Amino acid sequence: MTFPDYFPYTHRPGQAELVRLVRDCVHDGRHLVLEAGTGTGKTVTALCAALEGTANSGRKVIFLTRTKSQQRQIALEARAIADRADVVCIAIQGRGPATCPMMQNDRELASGTSEELSKLCATLKKGGSEAGTCTFFDNLDDAAVEACISFVRSSHPDPEEFREFCSVRGICPYEAAKRVLPYANVVSAPYPFFFIPGIRTHFLEWMGIGERDAVVIMDEAHNLPNYLRDIQTYRTTQRALDMTMKEADENGDPEIYEGLTVKDIVTLMEDVLRDAQAEFLRRENDLIPPGYLTEEMMTRLGMTTYGIRDMLMSMYAAGEAVADEKKRRRKLPRSHILTLARFLLAWISCEDGSHVYLVAGGENPSLEAYCLDASDAADPLLSCHSTVSMSGTLRPLDVYVKELGLYDPVTDSRPSPFPPENLKVGYVRDVSTKYDELNGGEDTYERLKRYVIDLVGCVHRSTAVFFPSYSLMDRFIADGVPGMLGREVYYEKSGMPQSELMEQMTDFKCSEGAVLFAVTGGRVSEGLDFPGKELELAILVGIPYARPSAKQDALIHYCQGRYGSGWDMAVKVPAVRKMRQAIGRLIRSETDRGVAVILDRRAADLAGIDAEYMEDPVASVRDFFGHN
Ligand code: SF4
């Protein structure tokens, strides 16, 4: 069998084999799990290979991404390939201020979830109600759709360019992208388009294919297991209950079942939450028995499970009525009653072995059904013709395969093509961030501070200090460490709005020799590029093990029981992936050079980090950069 050759650049060493590997897996309908670091050209390689492997088959490539910049990258590579291949590539994004001009200047609408916005959008598109219509949709006539299709075919726009094209014509970019989907053979989309069941059904319908004709490529796949657990986790909080109570008051407290009203259920939930804290909560979060909430409802209401389900369905309907009324007034169709009903229905339906049930305290106590098993939500991947999971930090690959439940995959790991001598990774032996050590009588904390101050001061290079938690970073800040560094310091703080974070990063990148305080596993260490001299020294303060908690213990226990590897799968592997992501910020091209110093003796035992012992890390760093 001969395949077309779509690769648009001169191959770097190893790239031709990588294209062949991906192409053969795609053609043969296999699952491929691939670790390939920065510099291997993952995006262009996977795109070319998938197009070659699907040529003349009627199959389509779905490229799932976590960030808009990845979608842009895919569009740029599609443009490069277009001279050689019949490629029609479109990016689709969820409804939001960037894709729905209706909500651009409306703060309330801009805060809506995609489901809420989708409801309002459906009403406006239908028209004929008091809510009126959406002119951006009305303007999308056949001629406008034709213009969009031609534009995508001829220009291979990135998401921003497509939005601009739509904006000039006064049409809705979200709806326009949907209308182009049937003509595209490459579609980039955020994860929810494929992994949220209701959205996936529509998405594939719009594309005009079934799952078996889809070739799904997942970039940054190391995040996928956690994402899949998250989308199957259900939570309600005291604040959510407060808002539900308020909404019930404002809407005449609807009766939902034989004299019971919404406020009765909210009061019951507040009591259950309070009692669960009193009975079970000893730590930050703690387990409650699987049937606890359902049994409490049955006992307190004197109802059977069938009755409770009926009552919750009726509460759901009451919530929908509230949302519909808002929709009628062209407001965001949000209902806290609906959200609470949905939480309770999900909770009583998932009382199985793949969830644990937790109560948490603090300022905003909560009840949570936490999903331990990522594989249920990964199921649709098994129905696809082929899938490619790739990341620079996916090892150990067998752990990823087990977590997703992939059947008979091909696994491969490609080394970085950059000169190995450009990166030095070391660790020290006399400190660690183990809880007892950090908070005990020893002077570990003082030594950690000293290391950071001395390392930052030993060379004038842009430096990131990655902390294992915001609380340790805050402790450094409270103790005045930034002021002792003699450099400009920038921060990635907990809960910082994205725009503020980006401002900090722009300033940091422009200030050679500046220092950045960030968190290992945070937005900076997982998603931002620092090429060239923008980052040359990384100091990792400790190992970013998840904090011990009932939730973490449950995950360890589950992985031990199901896969025979609890601590490694639930704790060690995620920590190593986070550290490798942080260290990976240093080397983004073959001319980049950098040093990472891990301030924790436990780094010696972490497979995949490959750190060497540094007896004198300051001397090692100075030596690396050629300072005497
Ligand atoms: S049609 Fe487009 S612009 Fe109008 S409400 Fe829907 S998403 Fe927004």
Side-chain angles (χ1 to χ4, degrees):
M1 166 107 203
T2 51
F3 290 97
D5 177 4
Y6 293 154
F7 201 77
Y9 310 120
T10 307
H11 288 108
R12 290 205 205 118
Q15 254 173 346
E17 297 87 76
L18 198 52
V19 171
R20 279 199 291 276
L21 170 74
V22 180
R23 182 196 64 202
D24 291 349
C25 284
V26 168
H27 180 263
D28 299 344
R30 306 286 306 270
H31 298 295
L32 172 63
V33 176
L34 173 68
E35 173 165 305
T38 310
T40 47
K42 282 194 302 286
T43 306
V44 67
T45 302
L47 192 54
C48 283
L51 282 165
E52 289 175 17
T54 53
N56 305 317
S57 68
R59 298 193 179 102
K60 295 192 175 192
V61 181
I62 300 173
F63 220 122
L64 299 176
T65 66
R66 292 305 300 272
T67 63
K68 292 180 181 145
S69 63
Q70 285 173 320
Q71 286 189 293
R72 178 160 192 274
Q73 180 69 25
I74 292 161
L76 294 179
E77 300 299 8
R79 199 176 295 173
I81 295 167
D83 279 348
R84 297 163 160 255
D86 182 16
V87 55
V88 182
C89 173
I90 181 88
I92 189 148
Q93 297 168 342
R95 284 186 191 79
T99 53
C100 168
M102 254 273 305
M103 69 181 70
Q104 249 155 27
N105 300 315
D106 187 319
R107 282 184 64 186
E108 191 202 356
L109 292 185
S111 73
T113 63
S114 66
E115 189 195 340
E116 289 162 349
L117 297 169
S118 156
K119 275 185 185 163
L120 179 59
C121 175
T123 304
L124 298 178
K125 285 191 298 186
K126 230 184 277 157
S129 76
E130 200 183 309
T133 57
C134 172
T135 48
F136 303 100
F137 180 72
D138 295 342
N139 292 342
L140 189 65
D141 55 18
D142 289 349
V145 172
E146 273 307 316
C148 289
I149 296 168
S150 312
F151 177 60
V152 172
R153 279 190 196 283
S154 60
S155 306
H156 316 285
D158 68 23
E160 194 50 52
E161 289 163 341
F162 186 71
R163 242 186 336 266
E164 191 54 42
F165 180 86
C166 293
S167 166
V168 173
R169 285 155 185 80
I171 58 178
C172 165
Y174 178 84
E175 290 296 327
K178 261 170 62 179
R179 304 284 281 274
V180 177
L181 283 179
Y183 304 90
N185 55 356
V186 177
V187 178
S188 71
Y191 281 6
F193 274 83
F194 189 80
F195 289 110
I196 305 289
I199 304 180
R200 177 177 60 253
T201 310
H202 291 304
F203 178 47
L204 294 174
E205 247 174 52
W206 299 333
M207 286 180 68
I209 55 168
E211 281 167 3
R212 67 180 182 289
D213 287 323
V215 170
V216 177
I217 303 174
M218 291 153 286
D219 205 359
E220 301 300 335
H222 62 279
N223 287 317
L224 188 57
N226 263 349
Y227 167 79
L228 296 176
R229 277 192 277 273
D230 271 357
I231 60 173
Q232 299 175 99
T233 290
Y234 311 103
R235 184 183 302 112
T236 193
T237 64
Q238 180 59 55
R239 262 183 224 133
L241 294 176
D242 293 344
M243 288 189 287
T244 313
M245 189 65 105
K246 186 162 173 270
E247 185 177 290
D249 257 335
E250 289 166 355
N251 289 276
D253 192 17
E255 181 181 334
I256 48 175
Y257 194 83
E258 295 178 0
L260 279 174
T261 67
V262 170
K263 283 174 74 172
D264 292 330
I265 301 306
V266 179
T267 305
L268 180 149
M269 286 297 295
E270 287 176 334
D271 292 345
V272 171
L273 178 54
R274 198 169 36 247
D275 292 351
Q277 287 181 81
E279 194 173 348
F280 302 106
L281 195 58
R282 301 291 170 265
R283 297 185 275 177
E284 190 182 338
N285 57 56
D286 251 308
L287 296 182
I288 58 177
Y292 181 77
L293 180 54
T294 312
E295 280 161 25
E296 287 298 315
M297 289 173 85
M298 287 165 70
T299 310
R300 294 177 195 224
L301 298 172
M303 288 166 72
T304 64
T305 46
Y306 294 115
I308 287 175
R309 197 173 288 276
D310 286 352
M311 176 198 71
L312 293 177
M313 291 307 296
S314 163
M315 185 169 165
Y316 191 98
E320 281 209 313
V322 171
D324 286 348
E325 171 56 21
K326 288 185 179 170
K327 202 165 60 177
R328 204 178 51 76
R329 288 183 282 121
R330 215 180 166 97
K331 296 277 180 206
L332 186 68
R334 174 167 295 170
S335 164
H336 301 291
I337 297 172
L338 179 64
T339 306
L340 180 59
R342 188 176 285 145
F343 162 78
L344 288 167
L345 283 164
W347 182 295
I348 61 173
S349 330
C350 72
E351 287 184 347
D352 58 27
S354 62
H355 284 75
V356 284
Y357 304 89
L358 297 145
V359 58
E363 280 178 17
N364 188 20
S366 63
L367 289 171
E368 177 176 317
Y370 171 63
C371 178
L372 299 163
D373 194 330
S375 65
D376 282 351
D379 245 10
L381 292 174
L382 305 184
S383 314
C384 293
H385 174 71
S386 168
T387 67
V388 180
S389 303
M390 54 186 198
S391 160
T393 55
L394 210 49
R395 278 182 287 152
L397 304 181
D398 62 316
V399 167
Y400 178 84
V401 168
K402 282 181 196 166
E403 281 187 294
L404 261 66
L406 294 177
Y407 176 69
D408 192 25
V410 176
T411 57
D412 202 306
S413 187
R414 300 279 153 156
S416 162
F418 300 145
E421 63 275 14
N422 284 4
L423 174 67
K424 187 182 185 80
V425 181
Y427 70 96
V428 297
R429 282 196 187 129
D430 59 343
V431 285
S432 92
T433 50
K434 276 177 102 166
Y435 183 85
D436 294 347
E437 206 171 316
L438 203 53
N439 299 289
E442 294 195 37
D443 56 356
T444 298
Y445 175 68
E446 290 304 320
R447 281 206 297 278
L448 282 171
K449 273 169 51 181
R450 194 71 258 158
Y451 269 130
V452 170
I453 294 165
D454 290 349
L455 284 164
V456 167
C458 77
V459 286
H460 192 85
R461 306 277 171 166
S462 293
T463 302
V465 185
F466 291 110
F467 293 88
S469 64
Y470 287 109
S471 61
L472 187 56
M473 178 166 89
D474 290 344
R475 190 169 164 190
F476 268 59
I477 295 170
D479 284 349
V481 175
M484 299 173 201
L485 299 176
R487 302 275 186 84
E488 204 66 53
V489 182
Y490 299 90
Y491 301 94
E492 176 201 19
K493 292 232 170 122
S494 171
M496 196 177 224
Q498 187 68 4
S499 54
E500 200 181 322
L501 177 65
M502 287 304 124
E503 266 174 41
Q504 289 275 311
M505 291 311 109
T506 306
D507 292 347
F508 169 71
K509 284 165 169 241
C510 294
S511 321
E512 199 175 322
V515 177
L516 169 66
F517 274 23
V519 166
T520 325
R523 284 178 283 175
V524 170
S525 78
E526 293 274 328
L528 296 185
D529 270 343
F530 298 92
K533 293 195 178 305
E534 287 182 4
L535 186 66
E536 294 183 273
L537 174 61
I539 304 168
L540 277 69
V541 183
I543 312 289
Y545 287 135
R547 266 166 66 159
S549 68
K551 191 192 274 191
Q552 194 61 28
D553 290 351
L555 190 57
I556 295 171
H557 186 72
Y558 185 80
C559 292
Q560 185 63 41
R562 174 141 193 198
Y563 310 111
S565 162
W567 170 261
D568 276 8
M569 276 184 82
V571 182
K572 206 164 172 179
V573 168
V576 168
R577 284 189 184 139
K578 284 180 192 171
M579 292 171 77
R580 292 182 65 210
Q581 282 284 328
I583 293 167
R585 300 303 108 195
L586 290 166
I587 308 290
R588 311 311 285 175
S589 78
E590 56 195 338
T591 53
D592 285 3
R593 298 181 78 241
V595 192
V597 182
I598 303 166
L599 302 179
D600 200 308
R601 73 176 70 84
R602 294 171 294 175
D605 306 322
L606 295 178
I609 293 293
D610 305 324
E612 64 181 55
Y613 171 55
M614 286 177 172
E615 187 172 357
D616 181 347
V618 165
S620 298
V621 170
R622 290 176 65 84
D623 185 46
F624 181 86
F625 289 113
H627 292 255
N628 293 322

